């Protein structure tokens, strides 16, 4: 059972059918001409409350396009210090956009308000000014923590006071919406641009969306091309993406229930504890006692018993839940952990 990431979810039969149908139709020639791509982009823009949206190969690409368009060279990109744009996008902001990265401390994915306020200075002859604030929701490093509406509004307010735009790295924004019981559009109203994944909890085979104003997306088309991401024909993955948006957001609350139950069951085992104050969404962090050794070795033992998890630190593992994992799978997962624990005792 592969719990290393929610992107391992396979497309649903309905998505597969939509892809087969799309494969039988010739793709459009123009960059934004393809029928399936247009349908997906229109739906995506509507669901996050923005004027337009652009289909991208990955959420990392969507984030980097947003950064490139909103930051001048030498300016500063501000975000909570363990944000994905800093930790896992291969230095993209510096390499692709010449941007300085300033990470501020945060608690459970939410950047410290005072620290944000202090750093949000306008540039001057000597100092680099902040051109963009990135908020990540849900926040992956802390195990899917949700930035709630008051925090989003506060951060948005601080940025707005200084005339700084906000980009939402909403790779799992539909998980955040499900957890907060609000629409994705309500969350995204606090950002000028938003990137979100189709291939994680939404289970499309690949792809992500970048959304924002019509003028912003017009420019994004050019930058996507510049970054080598101008894909054609993209109708087949777009057809699956549309089904993902139509059918999967409403299912995510169930993933959160499974993750919560799994977290509770595993945290009760000898030597394991939850690596987060609670399970917020579909990601579960587990901390290992010293006697269970390093996460890397423990993950190997676990794999021998049929469960794949990723080390998320020296003594921490991460498990991701997606639609193919249900409450009925919990006994098998718990049993694999029990057997692995025995190996280390
Ligand atoms: C918060 C966050 N942003 C961006 C990404 C990048 O997504 P992709 O792998 O599609 O580039 C991820 C991937 O896990 C993520 O968790």
């Amino acid at each position: 059972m592969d719990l290393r990431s929610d992107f391992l979810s396979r497309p649903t039969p309905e998505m597969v059918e939509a892809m087969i149908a799309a494969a039988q139709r010739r793709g459009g020639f123009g960059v934004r001409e393809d029928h399936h791509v247009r349908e997906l982009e229109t739906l995506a823009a509507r669901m996050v409350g923005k004027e337009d949206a652009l289909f991208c190969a990955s959420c990392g690409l969507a984030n980097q396009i947003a950064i490139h368009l909103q930051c001048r060279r030498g300016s500063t990109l501000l975000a909570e210090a363990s944000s994905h744009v800093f930790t896992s996008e291969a230095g993209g902001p510096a390499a692709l956009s010449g941007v300085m990265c300033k990470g501020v401390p945060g608690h459970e994915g939410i950047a410290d308000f005072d620290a944000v306020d202090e750093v949000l200075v306008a540039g001057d002859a000597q100092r680099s000014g902040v051109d963009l604030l990135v908020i990540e929701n849900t926040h992956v490093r802390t195990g899917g923590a949700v930035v709630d509406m008051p925090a989003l509004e506060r951060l948005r307010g601080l940025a707005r006071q200084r005339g700084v735009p906000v980009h939402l790295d909403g790779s799992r924004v539909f998980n955040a919406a499900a957890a907060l019981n609000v629409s994705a559009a309500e969350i995204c109203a606090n950002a000028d641009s938003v990137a979100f994944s189709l291939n994680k909890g939404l289970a499309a085979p690949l792809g992500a969306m970048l959304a924002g104003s019509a003028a912003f997306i017009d420019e994004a088309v050019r930058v996507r091309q510049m970054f080598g991401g101008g894909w054609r024909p993209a109708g087949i993955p777009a057809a699956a993406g549309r089904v993902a948006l139509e059918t999967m957001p409403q299912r995510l609350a169930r993933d959160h229930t499974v993750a919560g139950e799994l977290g509770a069951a595993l945290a009760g085992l000898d030597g394991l504890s939850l690596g987060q104050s609670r399970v917020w969404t579909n990601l579960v962090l587990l901390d290992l006692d010293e006697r269970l050794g390093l996460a890397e070795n423990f993950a190997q033992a676990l794999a021998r018993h049929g469960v794949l998890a990723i080390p998320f630190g020296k003594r921490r593992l991460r498990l991701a839940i997606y639609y193919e994992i249900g409450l009925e799978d919990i006994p098998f997962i718990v049993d694999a952990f029990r057997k692995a624990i025995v190996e280390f005792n």
Side-chain angles (χ1 to χ4, degrees), residues 69-304:
L69 281 173
Q70 291 171 101
C71 298
R72 293 158 298 174
R73 291 187 77 76
S75 71
T76 296
L77 169 65
L78 172 61
E80 185 279 332
S82 64
S83 297
H84 194 278
V85 289
F86 295 156
T87 63
S88 310
E89 297 189 15
L96 300 171
S97 305
V99 168
M100 303 240 300
C101 291
K102 178 75 185 170
V104 293
H107 177 64
E108 296 181 339
I110 301 176
D112 180 85
F113 302 133
D114 290 337
V116 167
D117 199 33
E118 206 170 298
V119 175
L120 265 174
V121 289
D124 58 26
Q126 287 187 313
R127 291 179 301 172
S128 162
V130 173
D131 268 3
L132 186 65
L133 171 66
V134 173
I135 304 172
E136 186 176 309
N137 200 12
T138 64
H139 188 270
V140 69
R141 269 284 135 194
T142 46
V146 180
V147 184
D148 61 17
M149 294 304 286
L152 281 167
E153 283 156 17
R154 181 87 187 268
L155 290 166
R156 170 64 169 162
L158 290 172
R160 187 169 275 165
Q161 267 173 20
R162 308 285 171 86
V164 171
V166 173
H167 172 68
L168 183 79
D169 176 359
S171 183
R172 296 181 180 82
V173 71
F174 286 95
N175 292 89
L180 293 173
N181 209 9
V182 298
S183 68
E186 283 170 86
I187 293 176
C188 298
N190 293 291
D192 300 274
S193 59
V194 51
F196 65 92
S197 297
L198 297 168
N199 66 335
K200 299 202 169 85
L202 301 186
L206 76 161
M209 305 304 302
L210 175 63
S213 71
F216 172 81
I217 294 298
D218 276 351
E219 280 294 292
V221 174
R222 178 181 58 78
V223 176
R224 184 185 64 171
Q225 183 73 13
M226 187 170 86
F227 288 172
W231 51 352
R232 280 178 293 168
I236 297 172
R242 182 181 57 74
V243 176
L245 281 179
E246 284 169 350
T247 58
M248 300 306 280
Q250 51 273 34
R251 297 193 65 274
L252 295 173
R254 173 208 160 271
D255 293 349
H256 301 175
T257 303
V258 175
E261 296 278 322
L262 179 63
L266 292 174
L269 298 185
D270 192 25
L272 293 182
S273 57
L274 218 49
Q276 54 200 148
S277 65
R278 65 189 182 87
V279 176
W280 294 279
T281 52
N282 67 325
L283 305 177
V284 180
L285 301 183
L286 285 168
D287 285 345
L288 310 177
D289 255 11
E290 268 192 27
R291 78 199 141 86
L292 294 184
L294 298 176
E296 214 178 300
N297 298 336
F298 192 86
Q300 280 169 14
L302 205 52
R304 287 194 291 276

